[in-house]
Amino acid sequence: MTPGNELALFAICVAAGVLGALAGIGGGLLVIPALTILFGVPIHLAIGASIVSIIATSSGAAAAYVRDRLTNLRVGMFLELATTSGAVLGALLAAIIAPQLLYLLLGIVLLFSAAMQVYRLREELPPDVPASATARALGLVSSYPDARLGHEVPYAVQRVGLGFALMGVAGLLSGLLGIGSGALKVLAMDGAMRLPMKVSTATSNFMIGVTAAASAGIWIGRGDVDVRIAAPVALGVLAGALLGARVMVRLRNRQVRLIFVPVIVVIGLEMLARGLGLDLGLG
Amino acid sequence: MSDRPAPTPLSPVAGAQVRRLADPERLRLAVAWVLTVGVAISAALLIVSVIGAVLVGWDGSLIGRPPAVEPVFTLAGLLAGLAVLQPAAIGQLGLLVLVLTPILRVLTSLILFAVERDRVYVAVSLGVLAILLASLLVVR
């Protein structure tokens, strides 16, 4: 890092944070491509910077959702058993697998997250289904105040085991790639456990920080969290996420957010190409 | 909720009222507070470190002392760096506060679940806390 690079890093990460917020995928997924493509930062250092950044960006939104009673604290705490275990495993695995595999996985997650944005557009009430015995035993069944409908919406929780398993995978990817795995977390809660979309999104955000903290210690211990990169990056992504959230309030139509999805697809394809390109080079 | 013992032996109606007023409210606000304050402190430290790095370099000193030589990711190096306001050390402290924030959040949840006498979630929080602490020890 030459002097003055801090400001360039900061500026690019503000942009990544804004774009991440507008596209609804969070900052981490875009920071790693930005650092590796634009600054030539080795992918392990990029992941190290990203993993600490997503704690900053998720915590602000998480606090707001907790205050608004959208977060299901018990669902979050219970599933964190899975995400933190997965994250520790992922962070340990990252040291032994080939960097091109990291690029490849990052590309796949980016494309998956872009697809999830289209899926998330349907924001309906949870289906009227009975809660599973496991969910009742664990006290996961709850309700949330829906601002748009103006009343309390009760919801059941189902397929806790499947949700728990998917959360383990989300945690693994988070620890491996230094990302929040928000899209997979939402899929586990909304898709598998049948939680309302708003509760899934809020609870996912709540879990991202703890999941990231579980692998951050390992990345720091290995010396992959370089303060010269991580400090401006964390600050930039945080500023970008706050700015993006403000802009997003003005974008009333959720369809408008889809404008940003193709950008994510292009970055995802670039990461895929890096992963595959290195593979072909070896052959 | 009904399967959990109430903190004090009140009538079912009064017990429900106490739980409605005190338990989720305190739990949520304390948890939200920890997250907000942790990130705010960390962000303040990171701002000082990045501005400092632009002014005097990462290994310089904001009070014009000779720079510390130990790397900032050791405790001794961190403390020595902080003593001379070394931007790298200030930034490292900011990152540590950031990583500790979610851990403190789990600890807060643990205390409040304990106050609520929710044994299942005391155990769940302890489990998460154990994994977090283990992760800090695994690479040493």
Side-chain angles (χ1 to χ4, degrees):
Chain A
M1 289 283 117
T2 55
N5 255 9
E6 297 79 31
L7 293 179
L9 271 178
F10 174 77
I12 288 295
C13 290
V14 171
V18 170
L19 184 61
L22 290 179
I25 66 162
L29 264 175
L30 293 177
V31 160
I32 301 163
L35 292 178
T36 51
I37 297 172
L38 299 176
F39 291 90
V41 172
I43 191 160
H44 284 94
L45 293 183
I47 292 175
S50 172
I51 195 78
V52 289
S53 308
I54 59 175
I55 299 176
T57 52
S58 68
S59 295
Y65 286 137
V66 167
R67 281 194 204 95
D68 293 344
R69 291 212 302 118
L70 287 176
T71 311
N72 187 322
L73 294 179
R74 287 187 166 83
V75 167
M77 282 303 301
F78 176 67
L79 295 177
E80 277 164 13
L81 285 173
T83 61
T84 50
S85 308
V88 169
L89 195 63
L92 293 174
L93 266 180
I96 53 172
I97 72 170
Q100 54 263 48
L101 192 58
L102 294 177
Y103 280 113
L104 207 61
L105 280 172
L106 198 61
I108 293 168
V109 174
L110 273 161
L111 295 177
F112 169 68
S113 301
M116 276 292 288
Q117 289 313 303
V118 183
Y119 167 80
R120 274 162 102 163
L121 285 177
R122 52 153 207 102
E123 199 170 311
E124 57 191 23
L125 283 178
D128 192 15
V129 290
S132 69
T134 322
R136 277 200 304 273
L138 288 166
L140 301 179
V141 179
S142 185
S143 66
Y144 78 99
D146 193 301
R148 195 166 50 87
L149 299 172
H151 62 79
E152 194 81 7
V153 177
Y155 55 87
V157 179
Q158 293 190 318
R159 293 186 286 195
V160 176
L162 179 62
F164 196 82
L166 282 172
M167 282 297 173
V169 178
L172 185 85
L173 285 172
S174 172
L176 191 59
L177 300 173
I179 59 173
S181 287
L184 192 54
K185 286 187 171 103
V186 170
L187 190 69
M189 283 184 280
D190 167 275
M193 299 172 73
R194 301 286 186 86
L195 287 159
M197 181 58 83
K198 281 177 187 170
V199 177
S200 302
T201 308
T203 308
S204 157
N205 230 296
F206 180 69
M207 298 168 62
I208 286 174
V210 168
T211 308
S215 59
I218 296 171
W219 287 95
I220 290 174
R222 272 204 301 258
D224 282 330
V225 182
D226 185 342
V227 66
R228 289 143 218 263
I229 300 170
V233 166
L235 213 50
V237 184
L238 180 60
L242 293 173
L243 201 65
R246 295 213 157 191
V247 177
M248 209 165 65
V249 175
R250 286 157 200 255
L251 299 180
R252 293 190 161 212
N253 192 340
R254 288 180 66 88
Q255 299 275 0
V256 176
R257 295 175 64 178
L258 282 183
I259 294 169
F260 302 98
V261 172
V263 183
I264 311 304
V265 172
V266 170
I267 298 170
L269 290 175
E270 165 68 27
M271 289 289 105
L272 272 185
R274 283 204 166 200
L276 293 172
L278 282 169
D279 266 344
L280 292 173
L282 287 174
Chain B
M1 287 278 189
S2 53
D3 54 338
R4 267 177 228 114
T8 45
L10 296 168
S11 72
V13 176
Q17 268 178 346
V18 166
R19 256 173 281 156
R20 200 172 303 140
L21 288 173
D23 109 36
E25 205 50 41
R26 265 185 315 179
L27 177 61
R28 279 189 299 112
L29 294 181
V31 163
W33 187 83
V34 167
L35 289 173
T36 312
V37 171
V39 173
I41 293 173
S42 166
L45 289 166
L46 293 177
I47 289 171
V48 173
S49 85
V50 172
I51 292 174
V54 173
L55 295 176
V56 299
W58 285 105
D59 295 320
S61 163
L62 289 176
I63 50 172
R65 298 287 176 79
V69 283
E70 291 250 8
V72 289
F73 49 80
T74 64
L75 185 63
L78 179 65
L79 293 176
L82 287 175
V84 296
L85 296 187
Q86 179 192 359
I90 298 168
Q92 192 74 16
L93 183 65
L95 296 177
L96 282 179
V97 171
L98 205 52
V99 175
L100 288 176
T101 297
I103 300 177
L104 211 58
R105 192 274 278 166
V106 174
L107 199 62
T108 312
S109 318
L110 170 69
I111 292 167
L112 286 151
F113 283 130
V115 168
E116 289 177 23
R117 301 194 186 176
D118 185 338
R119 285 194 198 129
V120 174
Y121 281 87
V122 166
V124 167
S125 306
L126 273 175
V128 174
L129 205 58
I131 296 166
L132 287 170
L133 295 179
S135 79
L136 296 177
L137 301 174
V138 76
V139 180
R140 279 290 167 268

